[in-house]
Amino acid sequence: MQSVNKAIVVALTTFGASVVGMLLQWLVPADVLTASKGSVGAMVGLVTLLLALVLGLLVFTAFSVFTTQQSEAQSLGPVIAEIDLALEQYGPEAVGGRAGLRAALQRSRVRFFGDSTRGPQPFTFEEMRSTLAGLNSYFDSLKPATDSQRRWLACAWDLAKKYQDTQMLMARQLAAPFPPYVLIVVVCWASALFLGNGLAATPNPVTVLAHLAGAIAVASAIFLILELSSPYTGVIRLSPAGVDSVLKSLGEVEALARPLELERLEQAGAAAVLPASSSPE
């Protein structure tokens, strides 16, 4: 709800600026107001243009952040399925990798959807080194014996690297979607605009309502900017249903594959023991 609270503060600030402008009409002499209306109108027009351009750009940028996160998150689903398939085709020696894939996806879910207050935190340098080192260590431990295994191992390695790089990039993109103090400058421009309009407007109920509607419009734009730039927190957020569905599917696949893998190992062990224990008649 932080975005809602900030939007309310923006609405009150901009509307309060217009009220201050109307109240200044009682303090400034009438002839001075009449003589300065042209200059005030010109400055209001300039600030209006700047505010419209920057607000539109910020809304577009925030929407781009949201849609980029959405598309990148959706692109990881096929990658995970291909990694699991490649490890399955490699053979029972890759059982640990399939379990590690599910564990990695669970950690990603906690990182991106687990903290509803701060949102996803970027990977530290130590975390990136540790993750990539663990990935290299696991794939180096696999010793492919056939060309088919080598092909599936190379495919799984490329996809696993792509998965890790993508989620690290997603976390970094959310670290600072906007330069510092941009929204503060925009709110200051909006306050100056409403102050100038209030200074030049004739105070009456219709004027007050018009300024209130404008303040709400500016606040709603700020609300959209804050919400869309934080796609995992707030009111407008991405749903974790897709990740949960993939986790459930991986769990079912793992549960079905475990008895088959145990049966393969038992058959391999029996095949190794029978020739040694049999004797010619």
Side-chain angles (χ1 to χ4, degrees):
M1 298 297 290
Q2 291 184 357
S3 300
V4 176
N5 296 334
K6 291 178 180 179
I8 292 174
V9 171
V10 170
L12 294 176
T13 301
T14 51
F15 180 68
S18 67
V19 172
V20 171
M22 295 178 189
L23 293 177
L24 286 176
Q25 296 186 29
W26 299 93
L27 302 177
V28 180
D31 56 339
V32 175
L33 282 176
T34 303
S36 60
K37 276 191 175 182
S39 299
V40 172
M43 293 303 103
V44 166
L46 173 63
V47 176
T48 301
L49 178 60
L50 289 174
L51 186 63
L53 289 174
V54 176
L55 266 183
L57 179 61
L58 290 178
V59 171
F60 174 76
T61 302
F63 182 73
S64 299
V65 171
F66 187 91
T67 54
T68 299
Q69 289 289 315
Q70 185 179 44
S71 62
E72 288 177 342
Q74 291 172 348
S75 70
L76 289 179
V79 172
I80 293 170
E82 291 176 10
I83 295 173
D84 187 66
L85 177 63
L87 293 175
E88 179 185 16
Q89 294 297 322
Y90 181 88
E93 299 87 349
V95 173
R98 301 180 71 186
L101 175 63
R102 189 170 189 273
L105 185 58
Q106 286 176 330
R107 290 193 298 270
S108 297
R109 196 220 186 274
V110 172
R111 176 178 291 274
F112 285 91
F113 295 98
D115 192 341
S116 60
T117 303
R118 297 186 304 164
Q121 300 300 305
F123 287 81
T124 63
F125 182 74
E126 290 76 13
E127 285 179 319
M128 289 189 289
R129 280 181 57 88
S130 175
T131 300
L132 295 176
L135 196 64
N136 292 332
S137 175
Y138 171 74
F139 279 95
D140 287 343
S141 67
L142 296 176
K143 305 300 181 184
T146 64
D147 291 338
S148 176
Q149 284 188 326
R150 294 187 188 93
R151 184 174 67 254
W152 286 115
L153 182 63
C155 179
W157 160 251
D158 292 338
L159 292 169
K161 186 70 167 51
K162 179 180 179 181
Y163 171 76
Q164 293 295 347
D165 291 344
T166 300
Q167 71 165 349
M168 289 178 185
L169 176 62
M170 290 171 64
R172 288 198 302 271
Q173 288 172 340
L174 295 174
F178 299 107
Y181 309 116
V182 168
L183 292 180
I184 296 176
V185 173
V186 169
V187 173
C188 290
W189 285 354
S191 300
L193 170 62
F194 277 75
L195 177 65
N197 269 318
L199 191 60
T202 301
N204 57 59
V206 176
T207 303
V208 172
L209 288 176
H211 282 83
L212 178 60
I216 293 174
V218 173
S220 64
I222 298 297
F223 172 78
L224 284 176
I225 292 169
L226 294 173
E227 283 291 313
L228 293 175
S229 60
S230 302
Y232 300 98
T233 60
V235 180
I236 305 174
R237 68 175 72 182
L238 296 175
S239 172
V243 180
D244 295 338
S245 176
V246 174
L247 283 172
K248 182 180 178 181
S249 299
L250 288 178
E252 293 174 352
V253 169
E254 185 179 351
L256 291 174
R258 190 178 295 112
L260 296 176
E261 289 158 358
L262 291 176
E263 184 179 350
R264 286 181 187 176
L265 294 175
E266 290 175 356
Q267 291 176 353
V273 171
L274 286 176
S277 58
S278 60
S279 56
E281 295 181 357

